[in-house]
Amino acid sequence: MSLFRTKTVEQSIQDTEEPGHRLRRDLSALDLVVFGVGVIIGTGIFVLTGQVAKDKAGPAVAISFVLAAVVCGLAALCYAEFASTVPVAGSAYTFSYATLGEFPAWIIGWDLILELALGAAVVAVGWSGYAASLLDDMGITIPESVANPPGEGGVVNIPAILLVLAVTALLVGGIKITSRVNAVVVAIKVSIVLLVIIAGLFFIKADNYKPFIPPQETNESVEGLHAPLMQVLFGITPVSFGWLGIFAAVALVFFAYIGFDIVATAAEESRKPQRDMPIGLIGSLAITATLYAAVSLVVVGMQNYKDLSTDAPLADAFKAVGHPGFATIISIGAVVGLTTVVLILLLGQSRVFFAMSRDGLMPAWLSAVHPRFGTPYRSTIIMGVVVAALAGFIPLSKLAELVNIGTLFAFLVVSIGVVILRRTRPELPRAFRTPWVPVIPALSVLACLFVMINLPVDTWLRFLAWMAVGVVIYFLYGRRHSRLALADTPVKSR
């Protein structure tokens, strides 16, 4: 049995029509854009701006956000071609099955499980912290013992568990009701972000923008396993400020955009995926990039970048200009914003799990679709319970960067896959074509690799350990139960 047998695009599309495994096509292009905006706008816009401005880029942090959006845009162009050509649940997993083969597809699917499940748990924990702070401002105090996991001053994080379970129930109830709730919540948090931007304009001081690009400084880096891989491999010491500092900041603010690719996991539930998927992917990225750049320009204009808070820069900037009331508004925006992030991450996770199960690489019963709601309810419930347990009982602070490396790996594989599918199946109808192939995919690969080598060594080691576990599971179960392996007809092999 070949490890690199591919599943044809035609077979992938045909599988979406199987009775009992058919998802409802209820999503419009606007729904997909809102999904993308919902998952991208999270802690990045409320926290990351201050951290990067103070430590890396100074007032020029907006340039870093724009450059990071360009990096993501390169990957988005590749995702858009795949999602419109292979409109099937599973995102990078499904794309890899059609181009690289079964074993690479399993690896990327296992990687996506890490990215999405762990990401949802990490964000749920962050939501719990913001919610507790907001309630405390209202005079309601949640005991630390029930708002933190063991090892972080508590016994269990009940708010995080309740959030994940509530979101899971919503996802089981149907994709359309999920999209409606998401649309309302996204409208609220975008309104809050716009309010903060407009209000902040009245407190900007021109002197805070000088110098817009501070002089470059050598940045003392951590050592050992916590040092960036780039420093260990090449002996390159990271710098702060100057143009090199702006480029170094890209590796940090890139993570604020993580999640737009989840739009591709909903391809099978889109009414007109050939048209709607590119709009959803690229549109959501363009909107959030504009908001990120505007917020960063406002906050560094309100307060000198050297004085910015690294925990709550927007809230503290308003406190510094004598308007603490806005801090409460920003906290509400953070709580609302993170709710939709958890929602969309779990949506993407359940669809990847569903696609892998339908292909036989996971137990087949996981791909059952609810007869009334039209959702993969079993995979949704199981992953919801797993994520709730992670968020409630496991200290996740040191594992958060695994989400980043998992996402970048998926971007890299999809970028390579576009070139391969152009070569192996040039006749396929493509409603959207990535421009300047292979230049755009090559630039996307190089950009992803640049960001990946800026991650710590211990993150790489944990990632490789997770991948090793996935390889073992594939050879013990997936390889023998694969539908392609069990098929009587000859399969296409690479």
Side-chain angles (χ1 to χ4, degrees):
M1 294 187 294
S2 172
L3 297 177
F4 299 97
R5 51 180 169 244
T6 57
K7 182 179 180 181
T8 65
V9 173
E10 292 80 3
Q11 183 61 52
S12 295
I13 296 175
Q14 182 180 334
D15 287 348
T16 66
E17 300 301 325
E18 288 184 350
H21 300 289
R22 184 184 305 168
L23 300 176
R24 291 183 181 174
R25 294 189 178 275
D26 285 332
L27 299 180
S28 65
L30 178 61
D31 291 328
L32 295 171
V33 171
V34 174
F35 271 135
V37 173
V39 74
I40 296 172
I41 296 182
T43 53
I45 204 165
F46 298 106
V47 176
L48 202 57
T49 302
Q51 294 176 350
V52 176
K54 186 171 185 176
D55 299 333
K56 290 289 184 182
V61 62
I63 298 177
S64 298
F65 272 111
V66 172
L67 291 176
V70 172
V71 173
C72 289
L74 296 173
L77 291 172
C78 298
Y79 268 90
E81 175 167 329
F82 258 130
S84 60
T85 307
V86 194
V88 179
S91 185
Y93 159 76
T94 300
F95 307 155
S96 300
Y97 216 155
T99 54
L100 303 176
E102 183 174 282
F103 180 63
W106 165 267
I107 290 296
I108 198 66
W110 188 248
D111 166 69
L112 288 173
I113 291 174
L114 171 74
E115 171 198 344
L116 301 176
L118 189 59
V122 170
V123 175
V125 171
W127 178 92
S128 175
Y130 277 107
S133 175
L134 184 60
L135 289 174
D136 191 59
D137 291 340
M138 299 167 59
I140 303 173
T141 302
I142 299 178
E144 289 192 12
S145 60
V146 295
N148 291 288
E152 293 187 1
V155 177
V156 59
N157 193 330
I158 290 180
I161 291 176
L162 293 177
L163 171 67
V164 173
L165 295 180
V167 166
T168 300
L170 181 63
L171 289 170
V172 171
I175 190 66
K176 193 59 184 177
I177 188 173
T178 299
S179 68
R180 288 171 179 169
V181 172
N182 181 64
V184 172
V185 175
V186 168
I188 293 172
K189 73 174 177 180
V190 170
S191 298
I192 291 175
V193 170
L194 292 175
L195 175 63
V196 169
I197 293 173
I198 295 171
L201 290 174
F202 293 95
F203 305 106
I204 288 177
K205 297 179 180 179
D207 289 342
N208 288 331
Y209 290 119
K210 301 175 182 178
F212 191 70
I213 303 178
Q216 180 176 311
E217 299 176 5
T218 300
N219 185 17
E220 293 185 5
S221 182
V222 293
E223 299 179 351
L225 295 179
H226 300 296
L229 182 63
M230 179 177 67
Q231 179 179 337
V232 174
L233 292 178
F234 308 111
I236 300 175
T237 303
V239 300
S240 295
F241 311 120
W243 277 103
L244 290 179
I246 292 174
F247 287 122
V250 172
L252 298 177
V253 300
F254 174 89
F255 304 140
Y257 293 100
I258 283 178
F260 79 87
D261 55 308
I262 295 174
V263 173
T265 67
E268 201 170 320
E269 293 157 282
S270 171
R271 292 172 189 161
K272 298 179 180 179
Q274 288 78 11
R275 182 201 67 179
D276 296 345
M277 294 310 299
I279 294 174
L281 286 161
I282 299 172
S284 60
L285 189 60
I287 291 172
T288 52
T290 302
L291 291 176
Y292 276 144
V295 166
S296 60
L297 283 173
V298 167
V299 73
V300 297
M302 292 176 64
Q303 190 175 20
N304 187 280
Y305 73 94
K306 296 179 181 178
D307 300 323
L308 285 173
S309 164
T310 56
D311 295 322
L314 289 182
D316 289 346
F318 277 103
K319 289 179 181 178
V321 295
H323 289 271
F326 278 96
T328 301
I329 296 177
I330 293 168
S331 295
I332 294 173
V335 170
V336 172
L338 293 182
T339 302
T340 58
V341 176
V342 175
L343 176 72
I344 311 299
L345 286 171
L346 279 176
L347 170 72
Q349 171 62 86
S350 63
R351 272 45 178 183
V352 172
F353 220 56
F354 166 80
M356 296 176 74
S357 171
R358 188 168 57 187
D359 290 333
L361 301 182
M362 292 283 191
W365 58 270
L366 288 171
S367 60
V369 172
H370 196 282
R372 177 183 174 187
F373 303 126
T375 56
Y377 67 107
R378 290 176 179 170
S379 58
T380 301
I381 292 172
I382 288 175
M383 292 312 302
V385 171
V386 170
V387 170
L390 288 173
F393 297 99
I394 306 297
L396 296 172
S397 57
K398 294 184 179 180
L399 301 179
E401 286 180 330
L402 280 172
V403 179
N404 304 326
I405 195 170
T407 303
L408 288 161
F409 182 62
F411 287 2
L412 188 150
V413 171
V414 169
S415 301
I416 294 173
V418 165
V419 179
I420 293 176
L421 196 62
R422 285 281 188 98
R423 179 177 63 84
T424 58
R425 298 295 306 275
E427 80 287 356
L428 280 176
R430 291 170 169 84
F432 179 89
R433 297 176 68 89
T434 304
W436 302 319
V437 173
V439 176
I440 293 296
L443 290 174
S444 178
V445 170
L446 292 174
C448 290
L449 286 173
F450 169 76
V451 180
M452 290 173 78
I453 63 175
N454 276 277
L455 291 171
V457 174
D458 53 1
T459 297
W460 277 88
L461 294 176
R462 293 187 182 109
F463 176 69
L464 293 175
W466 175 259
M467 290 293 104
V469 172
V471 170
V472 172
I473 294 176
Y474 172 75
F475 282 102
L476 289 178
Y477 182 89
R479 189 182 184 190
R480 293 185 292 111
H481 293 83
S482 163
R483 291 182 64 180
L484 287 186
L486 299 175
D488 295 327
T489 54
V491 296
K492 179 183 176 183
S493 300
R494 284 182 50 80

